[in-house]
Amino acid sequence: MNKLLHHINRREVIFITVLLILTAILILLPTGFQKQEYLFTEGVRAKVISVNNMGIHSSGILKTGDQSAVIEIETGPRKGERVQANNMLTGSLTVDKLFQKGDTAWALIGFDEAGEINFANLIDHYRVDKEILLVCCFALVMILFSGYTGVRTLLSFGFALLSIWKILIPALLRGYPPLLAALAVGNVLTVLTLLLVAGFTKKAYAAIISAMTCSLATCLLAVAFGGSFQIHGAVMEGAESLLYAGFMNLELTSIFQAGIYLASTGAILDLAIDISSALEEIVKNSPDISRAGLVKSGLTIGKSVVGSQTTTLLFAYMGGYITVMMVYMAQGTPLMNILNSKPIAAEILHTFVGCIGLVLVSPLTSLISGFMFCKKEK
């Protein structure tokens, strides 16, 4: 028994070490799409010393014109220097920002051939320090409440984020088949996440098989219903901007369908490990339970969990479209018009394809766990 535990622990240590090395490689790995910086420019953090709003013109809630400000550079070789900066307003609440005295901004400064500053533009408010604080709070809470498992979860979280940013997105931009790329990255992340969270255990293996199978089912459903819904991938935010940026050959519809698969993968693997962990505990406390009894218990557990998980998925998807729904209601748009609109139809597709995948997880995980945890029928 001790030898077995030692072997398992050593295997987990090797696995985590390899994953840490891969994470470090991903951090250093270039995406291949680094922005070519303009010559003689530099991004800096700056403190807003004073503002001048005389150039701003108001039209209702919209503002246009030019806000000028005196800023003090806080980073880079020009730290401590004060310059005049401009903030152009276009009349768009989404894009425009107004600065006040004391704000911290991210600015772009330009130089002439002599190295003197010849312009400064206020890009946006500086938020990186607050973002780092929020991430640290998340990590602290995770470690305090989950201990060593929390540390492994954080490693899984970071690796997943880096994999999507450094591998999946560049692959899509290079024109690789979106569904195949998403399936490859999604399945690898599913395996690594469940092994990190549950270790090299039967419950992890059962959850992996179930999650990968159900995720593949959601992918097929996304393709089938995506085609029948006749929704073009341009419905995604920012999709048309990619076309205008020169990526005319991107398969936006396939990327949209791949996004549906990825969006449901996390919820599916979460439910799979929940059910397999519960069934493992049942077997530990009732080692004489039959395979049929264990499967029945898994189905009973799944009924309650699936109900809450599908509702959670609905909240997650529809929360991002709350303002769209408000616009439709404020305008008195007929229900049939709402249901047939592209944005709402896309969200319906997102939500219910993911929910079908969740519903399938419960019986499949129960069956797989029954065969893996019970060697033979009792």
Side-chain angles (χ1 to χ4, degrees), residues 242-292:
L242 283 171
L243 300 180
Y244 301 147
F247 296 92
M248 300 295 295
N249 296 324
L250 291 181
E251 300 176 23
L252 292 182
T253 302
S254 295
I255 294 174
F256 170 67
Q257 295 165 355
I260 296 175
Y261 155 74
L262 278 178
S264 62
T265 298
I268 287 174
L269 71 88
D270 177 50
L271 183 56
I273 193 62
D274 286 346
I275 294 176
S276 65
S277 297
L279 295 183
E280 185 187 55
E281 287 299 313
I282 291 175
V283 172
K284 286 182 180 178
N285 291 285
S286 302
D288 294 329
I289 190 172
S290 66
R291 179 177 294 163

Side-chain angles (χ1 to χ4, degrees), residues 8-20 139-157 193 195-200:
I8 294 175
N9 291 335
R10 187 175 65 177
R11 184 166 54 181
E12 289 189 1
V13 169
I14 294 173
F15 174 67
I16 292 174
T17 302
V18 171
L19 196 58
L20 285 170
L140 180 62
V141 171
M142 179 68 73
I143 294 172
L144 285 176
F145 285 94
S146 301
Y148 177 56
T149 301
V151 175
R152 293 190 299 183
T153 303
L154 290 174
L155 177 59
S156 168
F157 186 90
T193 299
L195 288 179
L196 275 172
V197 172
F200 290 85

Side-chain angles (χ1 to χ4, degrees), residues 68-319:
S68 61
V70 176
I71 61 172
E72 182 177 323
I73 301 173
E74 295 185 334
T75 58
R78 298 305 183 100
K79 181 178 179 180
E81 292 189 27
R82 292 190 177 188
V83 296
Q84 188 79 20
N86 295 320
N87 173 33
M88 296 298 297
L89 302 176
T90 62
S92 170
L93 294 175
T94 305
V95 177
D96 290 344
K97 58 278 173 187
L98 281 174
F99 294 91
Q100 298 178 353
K101 179 182 178 181
D103 286 349
T104 303
W106 183 252
L108 182 70
I109 58 175
F111 309 94
D112 57 23
E113 294 183 355
E116 298 297 326
I117 298 176
N118 57 10
F119 76 87
N121 292 330
L122 295 173
I123 304 301
D124 214 322
H125 290 87
Y126 186 80
R127 303 182 179 92
V128 175
D129 51 349
K130 285 86 173 178
E131 293 168 351
I132 293 174
L133 177 61
L134 180 60
V135 171
C136 290
C137 289
F138 163 69
L140 180 62
V141 171
M142 179 68 73
I143 294 172
L144 285 176
F145 285 94
S146 301
Y148 177 56
T149 301
V151 175
R152 293 190 299 183
T153 303
L154 290 174
L155 177 59
S156 168
F157 186 90
F159 186 80
L161 183 62
L162 287 169
S163 297
I164 293 172
W165 181 251
K166 293 295 188 77
I167 297 176
L168 179 60
I169 294 177
L172 296 179
L173 288 172
R174 290 188 176 95
Y176 286 93
L179 289 169
L180 293 180
L183 279 170
V185 173
N187 284 328
V188 169
L189 291 179
T190 295
V191 173
L192 294 179
T193 299
L194 291 174
L195 288 179
L196 275 172
V197 172
F200 290 85
T201 59
K202 287 183 178 180
K203 66 179 179 182
Y205 302 146
I208 288 171
I209 296 172
S210 176
M212 291 177 65
T213 303
C214 293
S215 295
L216 179 60
T218 62
C219 186
L220 296 176
L221 286 170
V223 173
F225 282 97
S228 64
F229 274 39
Q230 295 181 332
I231 297 178
H232 192 272
V235 72
M236 297 180 293
E237 184 178 357
E240 289 189 47
S241 299
L242 283 171
L243 300 180
Y244 301 147
F247 296 92
M248 300 295 295
N249 296 324
L250 291 181
E251 300 176 23
L252 292 182
T253 302
S254 295
I255 294 174
F256 170 67
Q257 295 165 355
I260 296 175
Y261 155 74
L262 278 178
S264 62
T265 298
I268 287 174
L269 71 88
D270 177 50
L271 183 56
I273 193 62
D274 286 346
I275 294 176
S276 65
S277 297
L279 295 183
E280 185 187 55
E281 287 299 313
I282 291 175
V283 172
K284 286 182 180 178
N285 291 285
S286 302
D288 294 329
I289 190 172
S290 66
R291 179 177 294 163
L294 186 63
V295 172
K296 184 178 179 180
S297 297
L299 294 174
T300 303
I301 295 169
K303 289 177 183 178
S304 301
V305 180
V306 166
S308 62
Q309 285 277 25
T310 51
T311 305
T312 301
L313 204 62
L314 175 65
F315 288 159
Y317 287 146
M318 299 307 293

